[in-house]
Amino acid sequence: IDAYFLLRDLYHLTGEETYREAAAAMAEGLESLWSTEAQQLIRGVNPDRTRDEVLPLDTASWGAMFFLARENRERAEATLEAVDRRFLIERDGHAGYIPYGNSSVYENDVINEVYFGDPDATWSDVAPLWMEGSLGVATAHGKAGDPAAALQIVEAMHPYRHDNGGFQYADREVPHQFTTYRSVAATAWYVLAVAVLENEEVRRLFWSG
């Protein structure tokens, strides 16, 4: 999704037709990953060219902004509704979002058993609250014209902000996938979410149509 916006913007900056064609091809590919049942974009395509039906949070939050840019508000709003149904959790009074839907954490029964004592452990069971992903949802709400929802998420992330201003990546460890360390990505998405909320020009231009 971010590659689509990069290529599209490179076309606008340079006028090079190659970038426009690449962005159009990428948009067509992304559109093909829409799941009517899940009401969001799926993870992608498997090596054997079958659809990878895993549902990540970021293909939903970034996907909502993609559909807004494509002037498909119906899909954007449906995706944001699906985000709260599928990924929203509350812990210690703080609301946020987990990184995947109710799918296997490691997609391998033995590894799930080793780390969690349950071969069928899912992301809903482990439920790490993901700062970067949550702030991506806030940015999407801001872009969609719902600043109240965006602000609520931004404020819910403040307890995970360290003294130097950086945000941690997640609120619990998932070995080899999620960590409680401070994160450039989480901090960057905080900056983006706040900028979209506070600055009309940023809200209009960032990942725009």
Side-chain angles (χ1 to χ4, degrees):
I1 294 171
D2 52 355
Y4 160 74
F5 285 110
L6 171 65
L7 291 165
R8 187 216 53 185
D9 288 349
L10 283 171
Y11 166 67
H12 288 309
L13 287 168
T14 67
E16 290 287 338
E17 193 67 16
T18 302
Y19 292 130
R20 186 196 65 78
E21 293 171 354
M26 190 163 287
E28 183 179 356
L30 287 168
E31 295 273 4
S32 74
L33 300 179
W34 173 255
S35 168
T36 301
E37 179 181 3
Q39 293 290 285
Q40 73 164 83
L41 296 176
I42 60 173
R43 184 163 62 179
V45 179
N46 293 311
D48 63 0
R49 308 306 297 169
T50 56
R51 286 166 63 87
D52 180 346
E53 301 284 348
V54 170
L55 302 173
L57 173 62
D58 46 12
T59 65
S61 57
W62 294 5
M65 289 184 274
F66 168 75
F67 287 121
L68 286 171
R70 301 281 291 171
E71 297 185 349
N72 190 336
R73 191 167 188 88
E74 182 179 356
R75 277 193 179 179
E77 291 178 349
T79 298
L80 286 173
E81 290 175 7
V83 164
D84 280 354
R85 291 197 305 271
R86 184 168 293 121
F87 305 102
L88 181 64
I89 62 168
E90 184 172 325
R91 183 176 297 121
D92 300 327
H94 304 304
Y97 297 84
I98 61 175
Y100 292 92
N102 194 30
S103 54
S104 178
V105 176
Y106 288 101
E107 301 176 35
N108 180 295
D109 293 351
V110 174
I111 298 175
N112 281 328
E113 178 72 37
V114 168
Y115 282 126
F116 307 117
D118 179 1
D120 300 315
T122 69
W123 285 103
S124 296
D125 298 326
V126 178
L129 197 159
W130 184 29
M131 280 80 243
E132 175 192 351
S134 298
L135 290 161
V137 176
T139 307
H141 277 297
K143 288 284 295 180
D146 190 350
L151 182 60
Q152 185 175 19
I153 298 167
V154 167
E155 290 178 341
M157 293 299 106
H158 283 164
Y160 305 102
R161 185 177 184 178
H162 291 250
D163 291 342
N164 70 348
F167 284 77
Q168 66 191 68
Y169 193 62
D171 76 332
R172 58 182 58 179
E173 297 282 338
V174 179
H176 310 295
Q177 297 201 58
F178 288 85
T179 179
T180 58
Y181 290 171
R182 286 170 288 188
S183 163
V184 171
T187 307
W189 276 98
Y190 175 81
V191 172
L192 287 169
V194 171
V196 164
L197 276 170
E198 292 185 342
N199 190 312
E200 171 60 33
E201 187 174 13
V202 173
R203 183 162 56 251
R204 181 173 56 83
L205 293 178
F206 175 71
W207 281 7
S208 60

